[in-house]
Amino acid sequence: MSFTYLFYQHIMFRHSCGKCHFANTKRPSDITIADFWGWEKTDQDINKDDKGVSLVLVNTEKGRELFEKVKDRMTVIPARLEDCMQPNLQHPSAIHPKRAQFEKDYQEKGFRYVMKRYGEVSCEKKMRRFVGKLKRKLKQALGLR
């Protein structure tokens, strides 16, 4: 069972995520800090430790002034905006079609129920894993590996 799995299915996003007015690059904040998706387009070597890379978008003059004051304490690699674009900088999140039912099930039946029904250990997933294991064992037994 995995919270992360449910998160990436978009099934438990807040309803407002599907209507977010800030899901674009014209943001009212001085600075935006996010995970840097697409860092490979900027520099193949910046994530050698595989710990991820942060993205800092400077949105206003005040943000630029603040960034200038602290940038010497960071490793800064300039990037083109088009190489930093990720879904939530382009449009609001897509809300899973079963989002409302998920919320209702959670309220009525609780966490364990929704994890079993919507989580990665659903019956379908269990069956796929079982079939996959069975195929591997058959190949191994027949010497096809």
Side-chain angles (χ1 to χ4, degrees):
M1 292 187 240
S2 170
F3 172 86
T4 305
Y5 176 82
L6 290 177
F7 178 81
Y8 284 115
Q9 295 305 304
H10 299 193
I11 199 161
M12 58 186 213
F13 279 4
R14 297 173 61 103
H15 298 287
S16 58
C17 292
K19 304 176 213 154
C20 183
H21 303 290
F22 305 109
N24 57 61
T25 57
K26 294 176 175 72
R27 304 170 76 86
S29 63
D30 296 313
I31 293 175
T32 298
I33 300 173
D35 291 333
F36 188 171
W37 299 359
W39 54 265
E40 309 89 345
K41 298 174 195 167
T42 299
D43 183 339
Q44 294 282 326
D45 296 326
I46 61 176
N47 193 27
K48 281 188 175 182
D49 63 2
D50 200 31
K51 292 183 179 178
V53 179
S54 295
L55 173 67
V56 178
L57 298 176
V58 176
N59 303 322
T60 66
E61 188 53 41
K62 181 179 178 182
R64 183 165 307 292
E65 291 170 15
L66 292 169
F67 183 72
E68 289 296 324
K69 289 180 182 178
V70 298
K71 74 177 186 178
D72 293 337
R73 293 183 246 161
M74 298 181 268
T75 301
V76 177
I77 300 171
R80 299 177 320 164
L81 183 60
E82 57 266 22
D83 292 339
C84 306
M85 293 307 287
Q86 49 191 281
N88 288 121
L89 287 175
Q90 299 174 55
H91 52 76
S93 297
I95 302 300
H96 195 285
K98 294 183 180 177
R99 170 63 175 89
Q101 186 62 47
F102 171 86
E103 185 174 11
K104 182 180 178 195
D105 287 344
Y106 176 76
Q107 289 174 347
E108 292 176 2
K109 299 174 183 172
F111 180 76
R112 285 181 189 241
Y113 177 83
V114 295
M115 286 305 293
K116 285 180 183 173
R117 178 157 186 213
Y118 301 96
E120 63 184 331
V121 287
S122 66
C123 289
E124 181 182 345
K125 299 265 186 226
K126 286 180 182 177
M127 186 58 74
R128 284 185 193 169
R129 285 183 194 157
F130 174 77
V131 170
K133 284 181 185 178
L134 186 60
K135 282 182 180 179
R136 285 190 296 279
K137 286 183 180 184
L138 284 172
K139 283 182 181 179
Q140 188 177 25
L142 297 171
L144 298 174
R145 239 181 195 206

PDB file of all heavy atoms in Angstrom, residues 3 9 15 17 20 22 26 37 43 59 63 78 86-87 91 94 101 105 117-118 120 123 128 130 137-138 141:
ATOM      1  N   PHE A   3       0.929   5.585  -0.176  1.00  0.00           N
ATOM      2  CA  PHE A   3       0.422   6.952  -0.280  1.00  0.00           C
ATOM      3  C   PHE A   3       0.937   7.576  -1.573  1.00  0.00           C
ATOM      4  O   PHE A   3       0.197   8.247  -2.285  1.00  0.00           O
ATOM      5  CB  PHE A   3       0.899   7.749   0.938  1.00  0.00           C
ATOM      6  CG  PHE A   3       0.606   9.208   0.855  1.00  0.00           C
ATOM      7  CD1 PHE A   3      -0.619   9.694   1.278  1.00  0.00           C
ATOM      8  CD2 PHE A   3       1.543  10.096   0.358  1.00  0.00           C
ATOM      9  CE1 PHE A   3      -0.902  11.052   1.203  1.00  0.00           C
ATOM     10  CE2 PHE A   3       1.267  11.445   0.275  1.00  0.00           C
ATOM     11  CZ  PHE A   3       0.036  11.920   0.706  1.00  0.00           C
ATOM     12  N   GLN A   9      -1.541   9.036  -8.815  1.00  0.00           N
ATOM     13  CA  GLN A   9      -2.751   8.733  -9.580  1.00  0.00           C
ATOM     14  C   GLN A   9      -3.660   9.956  -9.656  1.00  0.00           C
ATOM     15  O   GLN A   9      -4.644   9.951 -10.379  1.00  0.00           O
ATOM     16  CB  GLN A   9      -3.518   7.572  -8.943  1.00  0.00           C
ATOM     17  CG  GLN A   9      -2.785   6.266  -8.959  1.00  0.00           C
ATOM     18  CD  GLN A   9      -2.346   5.869 -10.344  1.00  0.00           C
ATOM     19  OE1 GLN A   9      -3.154   5.782 -11.245  1.00  0.00           O
ATOM     20  NE2 GLN A   9      -1.065   5.648 -10.514  1.00  0.00           N
ATOM     21  N   HIS A  15      -9.709  19.340  -4.679  1.00  0.00           N
ATOM     22  CA  HIS A  15     -10.498  19.769  -5.840  1.00  0.00           C
ATOM     23  C   HIS A  15      -9.930  21.043  -6.454  1.00  0.00           C
ATOM     24  O   HIS A  15      -9.945  21.216  -7.670  1.00  0.00           O
ATOM     25  CB  HIS A  15     -11.962  19.967  -5.451  1.00  0.00           C
ATOM     26  CG  HIS A  15     -12.618  18.718  -4.962  1.00  0.00           C
ATOM     27  ND1 HIS A  15     -12.966  17.692  -5.807  1.00  0.00           N
ATOM     28  CD2 HIS A  15     -12.956  18.315  -3.710  1.00  0.00           C
ATOM     29  CE1 HIS A  15     -13.507  16.716  -5.103  1.00  0.00           C
ATOM     30  NE2 HIS A  15     -13.512  17.060  -3.837  1.00  0.00           N
ATOM     31  N   CYS A  17      -6.960  21.866  -6.915  1.00  0.00           N
ATOM     32  CA  CYS A  17      -5.796  21.618  -7.786  1.00  0.00           C
ATOM     33  C   CYS A  17      -6.211  21.570  -9.258  1.00  0.00           C
ATOM     34  O   CYS A  17      -5.415  21.876 -10.134  1.00  0.00           O
ATOM     35  CB  CYS A  17      -5.103  20.309  -7.403  1.00  0.00           C
ATOM     36  SG  CYS A  17      -4.300  20.369  -5.788  1.00  0.00           S
ATOM     37  N   CYS A  20      -6.508  25.474 -10.309  1.00  0.00           N
ATOM     38  CA  CYS A  20      -5.488  26.362  -9.750  1.00  0.00           C
ATOM     39  C   CYS A  20      -5.160  27.534 -10.686  1.00  0.00           C
ATOM     40  O   CYS A  20      -4.797  27.345 -11.837  1.00  0.00           O
ATOM     41  CB  CYS A  20      -4.218  25.576  -9.454  1.00  0.00           C
ATOM     42  SG  CYS A  20      -2.941  26.593  -8.682  1.00  0.00           S
ATOM     43  N   PHE A  22      -2.698  29.485 -10.261  1.00  0.00           N
ATOM     44  CA  PHE A  22      -1.260  29.719 -10.230  1.00  0.00           C
ATOM     45  C   PHE A  22      -0.481  28.699 -11.055  1.00  0.00           C
ATOM     46  O   PHE A  22       0.737  28.692 -11.047  1.00  0.00           O
ATOM     47  CB  PHE A  22      -0.769  29.716  -8.778  1.00  0.00           C
ATOM     48  CG  PHE A  22      -1.503  30.700  -7.927  1.00  0.00           C
ATOM     49  CD1 PHE A  22      -2.391  30.275  -6.962  1.00  0.00           C
ATOM     50  CD2 PHE A  22      -1.332  32.063  -8.123  1.00  0.00           C
ATOM     51  CE1 PHE A  22      -3.089  31.191  -6.184  1.00  0.00           C
ATOM     52  CE2 PHE A  22      -2.021  32.987  -7.355  1.00  0.00           C
ATOM     53  CZ  PHE A  22      -2.899  32.552  -6.379  1.00  0.00           C
ATOM     54  N   LYS A  26       3.189  32.964 -14.905  1.00  0.00           N
ATOM     55  CA  LYS A  26       2.887  34.341 -14.494  1.00  0.00           C
ATOM     56  C   LYS A  26       2.381  34.280 -13.054  1.00  0.00           C
ATOM     57  O   LYS A  26       1.182  34.327 -12.792  1.00  0.00           O
ATOM     58  CB  LYS A  26       1.850  34.953 -15.434  1.00  0.00           C
ATOM     59  CG  LYS A  26       2.363  35.141 -16.840  1.00  0.00           C
ATOM     60  CD  LYS A  26       1.275  35.649 -17.761  1.00  0.00           C
ATOM     61  CE  LYS A  26       1.777  35.955 -19.124  1.00  0.00           C
ATOM     62  NZ  LYS A  26       2.119  34.825 -19.934  1.00  0.00           N
ATOM     63  N   TRP A  37      12.165  19.449 -12.847  1.00  0.00           N
ATOM     64  CA  TRP A  37      11.929  18.368 -13.800  1.00  0.00           C
ATOM     65  C   TRP A  37      12.507  18.824 -15.126  1.00  0.00           C
ATOM     66  O   TRP A  37      12.198  19.899 -15.603  1.00  0.00           O
ATOM     67  CB  TRP A  37      10.455  18.109 -13.960  1.00  0.00           C
ATOM     68  CG  TRP A  37       9.736  17.680 -12.718  1.00  0.00           C
ATOM     69  CD1 TRP A  37      10.265  17.484 -11.477  1.00  0.00           C
ATOM     70  CD2 TRP A  37       8.353  17.401 -12.602  1.00  0.00           C
ATOM     71  NE1 TRP A  37       9.299  17.095 -10.603  1.00  0.00           N
ATOM     72  CE2 TRP A  37       8.103  17.042 -11.267  1.00  0.00           C
ATOM     73  CE3 TRP A  37       7.293  17.413 -13.486  1.00  0.00           C
ATOM     74  CZ2 TRP A  37       6.844  16.692 -10.801  1.00  0.00           C
ATOM     75  CZ3 TRP A  37       6.029  17.071 -13.017  1.00  0.00           C
ATOM     76  CH2 TRP A  37       5.828  16.709 -11.700  1.00  0.00           C
ATOM     77  N   ASP A  43      21.893  20.318 -17.866  1.00  0.00           N
ATOM     78  CA  ASP A  43      23.227  19.807 -17.547  1.00  0.00           C
ATOM     79  C   ASP A  43      23.092  18.360 -17.068  1.00  0.00           C
ATOM     80  O   ASP A  43      22.515  18.106 -16.009  1.00  0.00           O
ATOM     81  CB  ASP A  43      23.868  20.675 -16.459  1.00  0.00           C
ATOM     82  CG  ASP A  43      25.287  20.273 -16.114  1.00  0.00           C
ATOM     83  OD1 ASP A  43      25.698  19.120 -16.372  1.00  0.00           O
ATOM     84  OD2 ASP A  43      26.008  21.122 -15.559  1.00  0.00           O
ATOM     85  N   ASN A  59      10.503  35.740 -10.180  1.00  0.00           N
ATOM     86  CA  ASN A  59       9.310  36.266 -10.832  1.00  0.00           C
ATOM     87  C   ASN A  59       9.193  37.786 -10.840  1.00  0.00           C
ATOM     88  O   ASN A  59       8.451  38.340 -11.651  1.00  0.00           O
ATOM     89  CB  ASN A  59       8.060  35.692 -10.158  1.00  0.00           C
ATOM     90  CG  ASN A  59       8.051  34.176 -10.171  1.00  0.00           C
ATOM     91  OD1 ASN A  59       8.458  33.552 -11.143  1.00  0.00           O
ATOM     92  ND2 ASN A  59       7.600  33.581  -9.089  1.00  0.00           N
ATOM     93  N   GLY A  63      12.198  39.722  -6.157  1.00  0.00           N
ATOM     94  CA  GLY A  63      12.716  38.358  -6.136  1.00  0.00           C
ATOM     95  C   GLY A  63      14.142  38.293  -6.642  1.00  0.00           C
ATOM     96  O   GLY A  63      14.978  37.582  -6.084  1.00  0.00           O
ATOM     97  N   PRO A  78      22.341  28.363 -14.477  1.00  0.00           N
ATOM     98  CA  PRO A  78      21.248  28.998 -15.232  1.00  0.00           C
ATOM     99  C   PRO A  78      20.611  28.008 -16.208  1.00  0.00           C
ATOM    100  O   PRO A  78      21.279  27.137 -16.763  1.00  0.00           O
ATOM    101  CB  PRO A  78      21.942  30.128 -15.995  1.00  0.00           C
ATOM    102  CG  PRO A  78      23.231  30.355 -15.259  1.00  0.00           C
ATOM    103  CD  PRO A  78      23.625  29.024 -14.695  1.00  0.00           C
ATOM    104  N   GLN A  86       7.155  22.120 -16.583  1.00  0.00           N
ATOM    105  CA  GLN A  86       6.554  20.907 -16.075  1.00  0.00           C
ATOM    106  C   GLN A  86       5.049  21.138 -16.056  1.00  0.00           C
ATOM    107  O   GLN A  86       4.596  22.274 -16.178  1.00  0.00           O
ATOM    108  CB  GLN A  86       7.113  20.591 -14.692  1.00  0.00           C
ATOM    109  CG  GLN A  86       7.084  21.781 -13.738  1.00  0.00           C
ATOM    110  CD  GLN A  86       7.883  21.507 -12.487  1.00  0.00           C
ATOM    111  OE1 GLN A  86       7.382  20.824 -11.613  1.00  0.00           O
ATOM    112  NE2 GLN A  86       9.078  22.035 -12.390  1.00  0.00           N
ATOM    113  N   PRO A  87       4.282  20.087 -15.940  1.00  0.00           N
ATOM    114  CA  PRO A  87       2.829  20.244 -16.074  1.00  0.00           C
ATOM    115  C   PRO A  87       2.214  21.368 -15.238  1.00  0.00           C
ATOM    116  O   PRO A  87       1.421  22.147 -15.736  1.00  0.00           O
ATOM    117  CB  PRO A  87       2.294  18.879 -15.662  1.00  0.00           C
ATOM    118  CG  PRO A  87       3.383  17.934 -16.046  1.00  0.00           C
ATOM    119  CD  PRO A  87       4.660  18.680 -15.765  1.00  0.00           C
ATOM    120  N   HIS A  91      -0.499  24.164 -16.685  1.00  0.00           N
ATOM    121  CA  HIS A  91      -1.953  24.024 -16.523  1.00  0.00           C
ATOM    122  C   HIS A  91      -2.249  23.367 -15.179  1.00  0.00           C
ATOM    123  O   HIS A  91      -1.378  22.717 -14.595  1.00  0.00           O
ATOM    124  CB  HIS A  91      -2.547  23.186 -17.658  1.00  0.00           C
ATOM    125  CG  HIS A  91      -1.856  21.877 -17.852  1.00  0.00           C
ATOM    126  ND1 HIS A  91      -2.041  20.798 -17.027  1.00  0.00           N
ATOM    127  CD2 HIS A  91      -0.941  21.490 -18.773  1.00  0.00           C
ATOM    128  CE1 HIS A  91      -1.287  19.788 -17.432  1.00  0.00           C
ATOM    129  NE2 HIS A  91      -0.605  20.180 -18.492  1.00  0.00           N
ATOM    130  N   ALA A  94      -4.804  17.498 -13.608  1.00  0.00           N
ATOM    131  CA  ALA A  94      -5.991  16.740 -14.002  1.00  0.00           C
ATOM    132  C   ALA A  94      -6.474  15.983 -12.772  1.00  0.00           C
ATOM    133  O   ALA A  94      -5.684  15.352 -12.080  1.00  0.00           O
ATOM    134  CB  ALA A  94      -5.648  15.771 -15.120  1.00  0.00           C
ATOM    135  N   GLN A 101     -15.715   9.783  -5.664  1.00  0.00           N
ATOM    136  CA  GLN A 101     -16.036   8.494  -5.042  1.00  0.00           C
ATOM    137  C   GLN A 101     -14.962   8.107  -4.032  1.00  0.00           C
ATOM    138  O   GLN A 101     -15.261   7.569  -2.969  1.00  0.00           O
ATOM    139  CB  GLN A 101     -16.184   7.410  -6.109  1.00  0.00           C
ATOM    140  CG  GLN A 101     -16.657   6.084  -5.564  1.00  0.00           C
ATOM    141  CD  GLN A 101     -18.040   6.155  -4.925  1.00  0.00           C
ATOM    142  OE1 GLN A 101     -18.963   6.715  -5.507  1.00  0.00           O
ATOM    143  NE2 GLN A 101     -18.187   5.615  -3.724  1.00  0.00           N
ATOM    144  N   ASP A 105     -15.780   7.294  -0.229  1.00  0.00           N
ATOM    145  CA  ASP A 105     -15.365   6.013   0.355  1.00  0.00           C
ATOM    146  C   ASP A 105     -14.465   6.229   1.571  1.00  0.00           C
ATOM    147  O   ASP A 105     -14.591   5.532   2.577  1.00  0.00           O
ATOM    148  CB  ASP A 105     -14.642   5.150  -0.683  1.00  0.00           C
ATOM    149  CG  ASP A 105     -15.584   4.577  -1.722  1.00  0.00           C
ATOM    150  OD1 ASP A 105     -16.814   4.584  -1.502  1.00  0.00           O
ATOM    151  OD2 ASP A 105     -15.084   4.123  -2.772  1.00  0.00           O
ATOM    152  N   ARG A 117      -8.961  -0.493  -2.133  1.00  0.00           N
ATOM    153  CA  ARG A 117      -9.766  -0.301  -3.344  1.00  0.00           C
ATOM    154  C   ARG A 117      -9.015   0.481  -4.417  1.00  0.00           C
ATOM    155  O   ARG A 117      -9.099   0.163  -5.605  1.00  0.00           O
ATOM    156  CB  ARG A 117     -11.061   0.424  -3.001  1.00  0.00           C
ATOM    157  CG  ARG A 117     -11.890   0.684  -4.240  1.00  0.00           C
ATOM    158  CD  ARG A 117     -13.330   0.874  -3.968  1.00  0.00           C
ATOM    159  NE  ARG A 117     -14.039   0.973  -5.240  1.00  0.00           N
ATOM    160  CZ  ARG A 117     -15.092   1.700  -5.442  1.00  0.00           C
ATOM    161  NH1 ARG A 117     -15.607   2.379  -4.454  1.00  0.00           N
ATOM    162  NH2 ARG A 117     -15.662   1.738  -6.610  1.00  0.00           N
ATOM    163  N   TYR A 118      -8.294   1.535  -4.023  1.00  0.00           N
ATOM    164  CA  TYR A 118      -7.670   2.425  -5.005  1.00  0.00           C
ATOM    165  C   TYR A 118      -6.148   2.322  -5.026  1.00  0.00           C
ATOM    166  O   TYR A 118      -5.506   2.800  -5.949  1.00  0.00           O
ATOM    167  CB  TYR A 118      -8.051   3.882  -4.718  1.00  0.00           C
ATOM    168  CG  TYR A 118      -9.528   4.126  -4.742  1.00  0.00           C
ATOM    169  CD1 TYR A 118     -10.267   4.110  -3.563  1.00  0.00           C
ATOM    170  CD2 TYR A 118     -10.187   4.361  -5.942  1.00  0.00           C
ATOM    171  CE1 TYR A 118     -11.638   4.339  -3.589  1.00  0.00           C
ATOM    172  CE2 TYR A 118     -11.557   4.593  -5.966  1.00  0.00           C
ATOM    173  CZ  TYR A 118     -12.266   4.579  -4.785  1.00  0.00           C
ATOM    174  OH  TYR A 118     -13.626   4.801  -4.811  1.00  0.00           O
ATOM    175  N   GLU A 120      -2.208   0.560  -4.773  1.00  0.00           N
ATOM    176  CA  GLU A 120      -1.483  -0.295  -5.701  1.00  0.00           C
ATOM    177  C   GLU A 120      -1.623  -1.778  -5.402  1.00  0.00           C
ATOM    178  O   GLU A 120      -1.140  -2.598  -6.156  1.00  0.00           O
ATOM    179  CB  GLU A 120      -0.013   0.104  -5.749  1.00  0.00           C
ATOM    180  CG  GLU A 120       0.723  -0.065  -4.434  1.00  0.00           C
ATOM    181  CD  GLU A 120       2.133   0.444  -4.517  1.00  0.00           C
ATOM    182  OE1 GLU A 120       2.712   0.419  -5.609  1.00  0.00           O
ATOM    183  OE2 GLU A 120       2.658   0.870  -3.496  1.00  0.00           O
ATOM    184  N   CYS A 123      -6.968  -5.833  -6.345  1.00  0.00           N
ATOM    185  CA  CYS A 123      -7.042  -7.210  -6.866  1.00  0.00           C
ATOM    186  C   CYS A 123      -6.379  -7.304  -8.238  1.00  0.00           C
ATOM    187  O   CYS A 123      -5.657  -8.255  -8.524  1.00  0.00           O
ATOM    188  CB  CYS A 123      -8.494  -7.669  -6.948  1.00  0.00           C
ATOM    189  SG  CYS A 123      -9.238  -7.949  -5.335  1.00  0.00           S
ATOM    190  N   ARG A 128      -1.864  -9.185 -11.586  1.00  0.00           N
ATOM    191  CA  ARG A 128      -0.751  -8.912 -12.515  1.00  0.00           C
ATOM    192  C   ARG A 128       0.573  -9.388 -11.938  1.00  0.00           C
ATOM    193  O   ARG A 128       1.387  -9.965 -12.637  1.00  0.00           O
ATOM    194  CB  ARG A 128      -0.671  -7.419 -12.824  1.00  0.00           C
ATOM    195  CG  ARG A 128      -1.718  -6.949 -13.781  1.00  0.00           C
ATOM    196  CD  ARG A 128      -1.486  -5.504 -14.125  1.00  0.00           C
ATOM    197  NE  ARG A 128      -2.645  -4.951 -14.796  1.00  0.00           N
ATOM    198  CZ  ARG A 128      -2.837  -3.683 -15.037  1.00  0.00           C
ATOM    199  NH1 ARG A 128      -1.944  -2.800 -14.658  1.00  0.00           N
ATOM    200  NH2 ARG A 128      -3.915  -3.262 -15.647  1.00  0.00           N
ATOM    201  N   PHE A 130       1.009 -11.734  -9.674  1.00  0.00           N
ATOM    202  CA  PHE A 130       0.974 -13.192  -9.642  1.00  0.00           C
ATOM    203  C   PHE A 130       1.293 -13.768 -11.016  1.00  0.00           C
ATOM    204  O   PHE A 130       2.114 -14.677 -11.150  1.00  0.00           O
ATOM    205  CB  PHE A 130      -0.395 -13.680  -9.152  1.00  0.00           C
ATOM    206  CG  PHE A 130      -0.550 -15.163  -9.218  1.00  0.00           C
ATOM    207  CD1 PHE A 130       0.054 -15.979  -8.270  1.00  0.00           C
ATOM    208  CD2 PHE A 130      -1.286 -15.752 -10.243  1.00  0.00           C
ATOM    209  CE1 PHE A 130      -0.078 -17.353  -8.341  1.00  0.00           C
ATOM    210  CE2 PHE A 130      -1.420 -17.130 -10.311  1.00  0.00           C
ATOM    211  CZ  PHE A 130      -0.816 -17.928  -9.355  1.00  0.00           C
ATOM    212  N   LYS A 137       8.741 -17.905 -13.400  1.00  0.00           N
ATOM    213  CA  LYS A 137       9.044 -19.247 -12.903  1.00  0.00           C
ATOM    214  C   LYS A 137       8.946 -20.285 -14.027  1.00  0.00           C
ATOM    215  O   LYS A 137       9.773 -21.190 -14.105  1.00  0.00           O
ATOM    216  CB  LYS A 137       8.121 -19.615 -11.749  1.00  0.00           C
ATOM    217  CG  LYS A 137       8.474 -18.897 -10.466  1.00  0.00           C
ATOM    218  CD  LYS A 137       7.590 -19.316  -9.314  1.00  0.00           C
ATOM    219  CE  LYS A 137       7.981 -18.565  -8.058  1.00  0.00           C
ATOM    220  NZ  LYS A 137       7.227 -18.982  -6.898  1.00  0.00           N
ATOM    221  N   LEU A 138       7.941 -20.140 -14.900  1.00  0.00           N
ATOM    222  CA  LEU A 138       7.803 -21.056 -16.028  1.00  0.00           C
ATOM    223  C   LEU A 138       8.997 -20.933 -16.985  1.00  0.00           C
ATOM    224  O   LEU A 138       9.537 -21.947 -17.447  1.00  0.00           O
ATOM    225  CB  LEU A 138       6.506 -20.807 -16.777  1.00  0.00           C
ATOM    226  CG  LEU A 138       5.226 -21.323 -16.101  1.00  0.00           C
ATOM    227  CD1 LEU A 138       3.995 -20.827 -16.848  1.00  0.00           C
ATOM    228  CD2 LEU A 138       5.238 -22.845 -16.046  1.00  0.00           C
ATOM    229  N   ALA A 141      11.948 -22.567 -15.331  1.00  0.00           N
ATOM    230  CA  ALA A 141      11.807 -24.030 -15.318  1.00  0.00           C
ATOM    231  C   ALA A 141      12.050 -24.628 -16.702  1.00  0.00           C
ATOM    232  O   ALA A 141      12.578 -25.732 -16.823  1.00  0.00           O
ATOM    233  CB  ALA A 141      10.414 -24.425 -14.806  1.00  0.00           C
TER     234      ALA A 141
END
